[in-house]
Amino acid sequence: MEPKDRAAEIDALRKKLVAARQAMPDRLQRAVALQEVLRVWLVGRREKSIGAYWPIKGEFDPLPALYRWTEGAPEGVMRRIGLPVADRASGSLRFHVWYPGCETELDAYDIPKPKGTEQFAPEMLVVPCLGFGPGGVRLGYGGGFFERTLASISPRPVTVGVSYTHGFLPLLRAGANDWPLDAMLTEDGVMFERG
């Protein structure tokens, strides 16, 4: 298959997955289940900072589970959540502290971002997935933000993908520039975790 044909096929697959996710009649119930899976998975993790995302196009919203994670910090430990601020020049994301009630403004892509909060390099990234395959392969929207962001953060953060199970693509394979996820969570549980 020619690269142009492959790109058109992947673009069509992305549109199909977004439409299917937005049309799920039980998306709320699935979200509640995935909130629980994420909260349980975070128990015992040593990271103190997590970069997440604003949910768009019917994506799972990880923020309630992450906020509960900050509230459950051991005494004397401060946990931080960061939301992305897109940098058009580099095509990567920077993470700024977020908390419920945090003032926001729209970024270059009309997605809310924290306004006037501290930037930091997260120890973990919770990454939305349109689709996912075996071994931590992720299908995103195709902008390359995730890959460029991972390349810019040192040390490399732990990456955990979140998606509903409808996004499982058993034949999905990583591209040359793809970074495999360290773990993949769905409403059905932990689908993959690097040992």
Side-chain angles (χ1 to χ4, degrees):
M1 183 177 291
E2 292 296 317
K4 189 168 93 174
D5 294 338
R6 176 76 175 140
E9 181 182 305
I10 294 292
D11 189 48
L13 178 60
R14 286 183 175 110
K15 288 176 182 168
K16 180 180 173 185
L17 287 167
V18 169
R21 183 172 64 200
Q22 290 177 319
M24 280 192 277
D26 61 345
R27 192 171 70 214
L28 178 60
Q29 292 86 354
R30 290 173 184 246
V32 168
L34 185 45
Q35 288 284 339
E36 181 68 20
V37 170
L38 179 56
R39 283 198 320 265
V40 169
W41 187 81
L42 288 170
V43 170
R45 298 290 312 186
R46 294 183 177 187
E47 294 84 6
K48 295 182 186 97
S49 62
I50 296 177
Y53 61 92
W54 282 107
I56 60 171
K57 301 179 184 179
E59 289 173 335
F60 165 71
D61 182 356
L63 296 176
L66 296 180
Y67 184 67
R68 295 265 313 261
W69 168 79
T70 64
E71 291 181 317
E75 192 170 326
V77 173
M78 186 178 115
R79 291 178 174 168
R80 297 191 292 180
I81 303 167
L83 290 181
V85 175
D87 181 336
R88 274 193 190 265
S90 68
S92 65
L93 306 171
R94 298 179 321 245
F95 290 86
H96 286 253
V97 172
W98 173 87
Y99 50 88
C102 174
E103 189 176 352
T104 62
E105 60 189 353
L106 297 180
D107 72 6
Y109 299 94
D110 291 330
I111 298 173
K113 66 178 182 176
K115 182 178 181 180
T117 62
E118 178 186 355
Q119 180 180 334
F120 68 95
E123 297 173 276
M124 177 188 293
L125 290 181
V126 175
V127 183
C129 301
L130 267 176
F132 63 96
V137 178
R138 170 187 177 266
L139 179 67
Y141 293 107
F145 281 93
F146 175 67
E147 290 74 16
R148 285 187 295 275
T149 300
L150 275 180
S152 71
I153 299 176
S154 182
R156 182 185 184 274
V158 172
T159 56
V160 56
V162 289
S163 177
Y164 300 118
T165 54
H166 87 287
F168 180 63
L169 305 167
L171 301 179
L172 184 65
R173 298 296 177 253
N177 298 319
D178 291 341
W179 293 71
L181 297 165
D182 295 308
M184 184 67 219
L185 310 180
T186 74
E187 72 274 23
D188 290 338
V190 178
M191 303 306 284
F192 169 82
E193 189 165 13
R194 221 169 279 293

